[in-house]
Amino acid sequence: MENQKINLMLESLSQIEDMMISKPSTSDVEEMRKENEVLVKTYNYKEFREIRALNGTEGLHDLGRQYVLNEQIHGKSGSFLFFTEDLKFVVKTIRKSEFYCIRRMVEEYKIHILQNPMSLLCKILGCYSLCTRGDEEYFIVMESMLKRSGMQEIYDLKGASVKRKGYSVSSLKEIDWIGNSKRIDLGNRKEAIISQIKNDVEFLKRHRIMDYSFFVSFGWKKRESVDPFSLCKDHNHMPENEDVHFGIVDILTQWTFKKRMERLFHIFCCKSNSSCLNPDAYMDRFLIMIETDVFK
């Protein structure tokens, strides 16, 4: 069933992107009706097209029909994600609340990305919905932080400690990071990168966003030229042919009444260091983790 859904998403995405190439977008919502009562919509196409231009992505109509699905890498609350065959893009289903979040902040998100070309925020390149038999599912397309190399370990870091133990090499967390004595040596780039991270999380705080993660992947190097902001080398903990890629992901969860109640429940259960914190406190804890535990 999951494979059928992925195939339908890729086919629908390709068709509506084909349509948008020849149609100037004048509306925040563009839609295309397919056979069998399938309706696909694209949102804020104009804004996302400007973000795509930053990395030379003209359109998403040629993602192909082949994909990589790793069941150990998954999203929150039942959402799932998969990668295009070349690992350049990732498609992820999102909750309705996350859909509303990106719709509300898309203009400011676009400005932030364009004004900060070295931003470590995940690059969202498109927002869509797929309607089948009365059900509507929302999904986004992002630039992938995984590259075509043999990935060894993937970490999801929030700065929390409650339920922060991974269960596989592609789903590691804070306890694993500390246990494996991981640190990244940025050399003379540390100040600039941390400054950019602070700028990025300040943007998230202004939009009342919390529960984001610092994504880190370690893998074997397979190419000569690299981007110094997405790739660095820790000579103390890694062999010389190993890469590190990192960035900030899961940036669409806002501090709501439901999250406030969740926070009170965690306090009541003596889980004060859970990932559920208000945006100000979450940002402070996240930056402490970045400066003291992630980078040397």
Side-chain angles (χ1 to χ4, degrees):
M1 185 65 181
E2 201 166 73
N3 290 334
Q4 291 178 353
K5 181 189 292 185
I6 292 174
N7 288 328
L8 180 58
M9 290 170 69
L10 284 174
E11 179 185 357
S12 302
L13 177 61
S14 175
Q15 291 178 351
I16 196 166
E17 284 286 327
D18 269 335
M19 181 189 80
M20 295 305 297
I21 289 176
S22 57
K23 177 183 177 181
S25 180
T26 58
S27 171
D28 285 346
V29 183
E30 300 284 353
E31 63 181 46
M32 183 186 69
R33 189 170 296 278
K34 301 175 56 182
E35 298 178 0
N36 302 321
E37 299 182 355
V38 175
L39 178 67
V40 59
K41 300 178 184 178
T42 181
Y43 301 88
N44 302 100
Y45 185 84
K46 179 177 178 293
E47 286 81 3
F48 288 117
R49 184 173 57 190
E50 293 184 54
I51 296 174
R52 296 176 193 179
L54 192 64
N55 68 347
T57 302
E58 292 295 329
L60 300 175
H61 58 286
D62 57 352
L63 296 185
R65 299 298 171 84
Q66 302 298 315
Y67 56 87
V68 177
L69 178 64
N70 186 336
E71 295 181 355
Q72 295 178 340
I73 304 176
H74 55 81
K76 302 175 183 177
S77 303
S79 66
F80 74 93
L81 57 86
F82 60 92
F83 300 87
T84 55
E85 186 179 23
D86 57 9
L87 297 183
K88 288 183 178 180
F89 305 100
V90 56
V91 182
K92 179 185 178 183
T93 61
I94 58 175
R95 302 186 300 267
K96 184 178 287 188
S97 60
E98 294 175 305
F99 167 75
Y100 289 139
C101 176
I102 187 59
R103 293 290 318 277
R104 282 192 293 263
M105 73 173 190
V106 64
E107 179 63 28
E108 291 185 53
Y109 172 76
K110 178 200 74 174
I111 293 172
H112 180 83
I113 295 298
L114 295 182
Q115 291 181 346
N116 296 272
M118 303 309 291
S119 171
L120 277 82
L121 295 181
C122 58
K123 305 302 187 299
I124 301 174
L125 306 177
C127 180
Y128 310 86
S129 68
L130 186 63
C131 306
T132 55
R133 299 182 180 88
D135 294 326
E136 188 166 23
E137 184 148 36
Y138 304 99
F139 64 98
I140 55 177
V141 177
M142 299 178 288
E143 183 180 317
S144 174
M145 291 185 187
L146 292 182
K147 307 301 178 185
R148 185 170 281 282
S149 59
M151 289 299 152
Q152 304 300 304
E153 298 173 333
I154 296 176
Y155 290 86
D156 177 281
L157 307 174
K158 296 178 182 289
S161 59
V162 176
K163 295 183 178 180
R164 301 302 295 167
K165 179 76 171 70
Y167 53 85
S168 73
V169 292
S170 58
S171 182
L172 299 169
K173 300 182 181 181
E174 283 83 351
I175 294 175
D176 309 291
W177 180 270
I178 294 171
N180 293 336
S181 301
K182 290 292 185 181
R183 297 288 287 276
I184 302 171
D185 187 357
L186 297 176
N188 58 12
R189 295 167 293 176
K190 180 177 179 179
E191 184 177 348
I193 292 178
I194 289 182
S195 176
Q196 182 59 62
I197 291 174
K198 289 180 178 179
N199 191 9
D200 289 335
V201 296
E202 280 284 355
F203 168 82
L204 297 178
K205 186 184 77 169
R206 288 199 302 273
H207 289 274
R208 308 303 292 163
I209 291 172
M210 39 76 70
D211 210 21
Y212 42 88
S213 300
F214 196 70
F215 173 96
V216 185
S217 68
F218 295 87
W220 298 111
K221 186 183 295 184
K222 288 191 176 182
R223 62 190 188 283
E224 297 294 329
S225 61
V226 296
D227 178 352
F229 267 73
S230 63
L231 179 62
C232 56
K233 190 184 297 179
D234 183 341
H235 296 282
N236 292 331
H237 295 291
M238 295 180 292
E240 290 190 0
N241 63 341
E242 198 171 34
D243 287 347
V244 183
H245 299 263
F246 51 80
I248 302 171
V249 299
D250 294 334
I251 62 170
L252 299 178
T253 300
Q254 290 185 302
W255 181 247
T256 60
F257 176 78
K258 181 179 179 180
K259 285 295 181 181
R260 289 188 178 94
M261 294 301 100
E262 182 181 340
R263 177 61 183 166
L264 289 175
F265 176 76
H266 286 171
I267 293 174
F268 180 76
C269 295
C270 300
K271 297 179 179 179
S272 59
N273 198 30
S274 70
S275 64
C276 188
L277 287 175
N278 70 70
D280 297 80
Y282 193 94
M283 183 191 74
D284 291 341
R285 187 181 66 183
F286 185 85
L287 289 175
I288 289 173
M289 174 195 73
I290 291 294
E291 295 189 81
T292 61
D293 297 328
V294 175
F295 297 131
K296 296 182 68 175

